[in-house]
Amino acid sequence: GYFMDRQKNTRFGKFRKMLIVGTFLCALNYCALWFGVAGASENLKLAIAYISYFLLGITFPIMDISLNSSLPLMTDDLKERNILSSVKIIGYGVGTALCGVVAPMLISNMGSDKRAYLTVIGAFIALVVVCSTGGTLGFKQNVRFKTEKHYTVKDLFKIITVSPVLV
């Protein structure tokens, strides 16, 4: 969030570039995770899983913080923002259901072999990239920034050291 706050507001919007970059970084991370473990030894699979999980903590927020920060820039109307946020949450839920329920069903119906696994995973990753990038290119930033106040590193430490955050 700290670095995204410092992005310049271009004619394409303030967060669009980071949202697209975050989408591709997440897709690359998922490719490394799901394709990397396909032929790896047990120890290598575990290492790939740990590294991918660590990278997910970095790559997903690039995408998610950019998306959440874009919502207030699409409309000033709180009701419309709530609807946009609900659509995002429903999209996450549908995506999770597709990956968790439909993908295993497809793989089992395709013969449960390595090729079926890789095909389904590749298709899901491609679908996420296409939908996320298409959605990102399709939204308009209708609200302009009124101020350009940036947080400093000192401000970050103040935020982090607040009691509820520490707890």
Side-chain angles (χ1 to χ4, degrees):
Y2 176 81
F3 293 108
M4 287 177 224
D5 187 42
R6 285 168 167 59
Q7 295 297 308
K8 291 191 184 209
N9 191 18
T10 67
R11 65 185 178 105
F12 299 110
K14 183 165 176 134
F15 300 107
R16 186 175 297 184
K17 178 175 62 171
M18 293 303 289
L19 186 52
I20 291 173
V21 166
T23 298
F24 280 99
L25 289 175
C26 274
L28 288 173
N29 186 37
Y30 286 129
C31 284
L33 173 65
W34 297 110
F35 294 132
V37 299
S41 68
E42 291 302 314
N43 288 337
L44 187 56
K45 285 180 185 181
L46 191 57
I48 290 169
Y50 279 128
I51 292 168
S52 181
Y53 184 74
F54 172 76
L55 290 175
L56 182 63
I58 297 168
T59 60
F60 186 77
I62 294 171
M63 181 178 61
D64 197 47
I65 291 170
S66 299
L67 178 58
N68 289 326
S69 298
S70 297
L71 295 178
L73 300 177
M74 291 183 210
T75 180
D76 277 330
D77 185 9
L78 184 59
K79 187 175 181 179
E80 286 179 357
R81 269 192 251 164
N82 288 338
I83 291 169
L84 289 170
S85 183
S86 297
V87 168
K88 178 192 81 127
I89 292 167
I90 290 168
Y92 281 180
V94 169
T96 301
L98 285 173
C99 289
V101 175
V102 176
M105 290 170 47
L106 286 172
I107 291 169
S108 68
N109 286 337
M110 293 171 71
S112 296
D113 64 349
K114 187 175 174 180
R115 185 169 179 235
Y117 168 83
L118 295 176
T119 301
V120 171
I121 296 302
F124 273 84
I125 291 171
L127 182 66
V128 167
V129 168
V130 167
C131 290
S132 294
T133 305
T136 300
L137 295 174
F139 82 73
K140 264 188 124 170
Q141 180 176 316
N142 296 317
V143 178
R144 292 286 167 205
F145 289 94
K146 294 176 179 90
T147 62
E148 287 290 328
K149 181 189 180 322
H150 293 291
Y151 293 101
T152 64
V153 173
K154 187 177 178 182
D155 293 329
L156 286 176
F157 284 111
K158 286 179 187 174
I159 293 168
I160 291 170
T161 57
V162 173
S163 294
V165 174
L166 289 176
V167 170

